[in-house]
Amino acid sequence: MGQVAAALQKNLLFRNKTEDEIDSLLSRIQTSLRSFNKNEIIVTEGEPATMMGVVISGTVEIQKIHSTGKSITVSRFTTGSTFGEAVVFSKSNLYPATVISADVSSVLVFPKQQLLKLFAMDTDIMVMFMQNMSERLVLLNQKIEILSLGSLRQRIAYFLLKESKKQKTECISIPFSKRVWAEHLNSARPSLSRELMFMRDQGWISFDDTTVTIIALDALERLLE
């Protein structure tokens, strides 16, 4: 259980627990560790929501797949991240999106009834669960705020300013690929690239494959006025 406990320590629910404490809790409930190949479906949109998953290794993506076959990545999760926790207790009780293993991954599955048992055993974990749900709502509101902005340039500026404040630096690490970033901003990847090059040519930012550095903070702030 060493790898599992170490991964769970990165999860908000178990962050304050030692590995021994985590092992003890898991020994008293029924969970299952499942392995997935790259591009294998973990959960299909519309199927009954019966569990919460925690990524133990690898990466999983939450995707909306349209009738045309085109998919949009909504979220991307790595070791320690949780998915399915919101919908497992919802009235509709159906997964609203498809969960796919982006590469070889493993997921620890908590069935709904076992999750409730875990909350009864350890109220601190229940409190952390509620905190996690609150943070997800904040992130959702931020995404709605981004999408409400008029132009892609404004959405990029808003994202960079928010991330700069969050990361406490003007050299911002972008936490996902350019494709996923474009989808997050409700845009196409070529459009995002063009806007980034325009902003670089204006002397507002510099960037490489994984980072963006804000050079002219006031220029980005003026875009949002």
Side-chain angles (χ1 to χ4, degrees):
M1 296 294 287
Q3 181 189 14
V4 171
L8 288 178
Q9 283 184 314
K10 297 180 180 180
N11 182 270
L12 180 64
L13 305 188
F14 297 91
R15 193 165 293 164
N16 298 323
K17 305 293 184 185
T18 66
E19 289 193 17
D20 287 342
E21 289 172 331
I22 292 171
D23 287 340
S24 176
L25 287 168
L26 294 183
S27 70
R28 296 156 63 191
I29 62 174
Q30 296 178 0
T31 61
S32 59
L33 184 63
R34 299 173 59 190
S35 298
F36 299 92
N37 295 319
K38 184 176 181 179
N39 296 325
E40 186 175 353
I41 293 177
I42 300 172
V43 167
T44 302
E45 180 178 352
E47 75 176 67
T50 60
M51 62 86 174
M52 178 188 81
V54 179
V55 182
I56 301 303
S57 64
T59 306
V60 305
E61 291 183 347
I62 312 299
Q63 296 185 353
K64 289 292 290 185
I65 301 176
H66 299 287
S67 56
T68 60
K70 181 182 178 181
S71 64
I72 295 177
T73 301
V74 179
S75 301
R76 188 176 176 88
F77 298 134
T78 55
T79 299
S81 299
T82 305
F83 63 88
E85 71 274 31
V87 69
V88 73
F89 293 113
S90 70
K91 187 175 181 180
S92 65
N93 203 37
L94 298 175
Y95 289 110
T98 297
V99 183
I100 293 178
S101 181
D103 48 33
V104 176
S105 63
S106 61
V107 173
L108 187 66
V109 173
F110 290 79
K112 179 179 179 179
Q113 292 304 318
Q114 299 303 309
L115 193 55
L116 290 170
K117 185 177 178 181
L118 178 64
F119 293 161
M121 287 164 40
D122 193 313
T123 55
D124 287 341
I125 289 180
M126 182 175 66
V127 170
M128 297 303 285
F129 180 88
M130 294 171 67
Q131 181 180 330
N132 183 43
M133 293 301 301
S134 296
E135 290 180 355
R136 289 288 178 91
L137 285 173
V138 170
L139 290 173
L140 177 60
N141 287 333
Q142 288 178 354
K143 189 162 187 177
I144 291 171
E145 191 172 355
I146 287 175
L147 296 179
S148 70
L149 296 170
S151 69
L152 175 57
R153 193 170 300 163
Q154 288 176 309
R155 297 198 293 273
I156 294 171
Y158 180 92
F159 176 87
L160 292 176
L161 290 171
K162 283 286 186 180
E163 283 296 313
S164 177
K165 185 176 181 180
K166 177 182 175 182
Q167 299 182 27
K168 299 179 181 179
T169 177
E170 292 182 359
C171 182
I172 302 156
S173 175
I174 305 301
F176 27 58
S177 68
K178 194 169 288 185
R179 174 184 65 83
V180 174
W181 187 14
E183 291 172 355
H184 180 74
L185 298 174
N186 194 30
S187 175
R189 180 175 173 174
S191 299
L192 173 61
S193 295
R194 283 195 297 270
E195 285 295 337
L196 289 174
M197 287 187 286
F198 173 85
M199 295 169 80
R200 180 194 61 194
D201 293 344
Q202 295 298 310
W204 300 344
I205 64 170
S206 64
F207 65 91
D208 57 31
D209 289 341
T210 59
T211 62
V212 176
T213 301
I214 298 175
I215 298 172
L217 186 68
D218 57 339
L220 299 189
E221 291 174 338
R222 282 198 300 271
L223 283 174
L224 301 178
E225 292 177 352

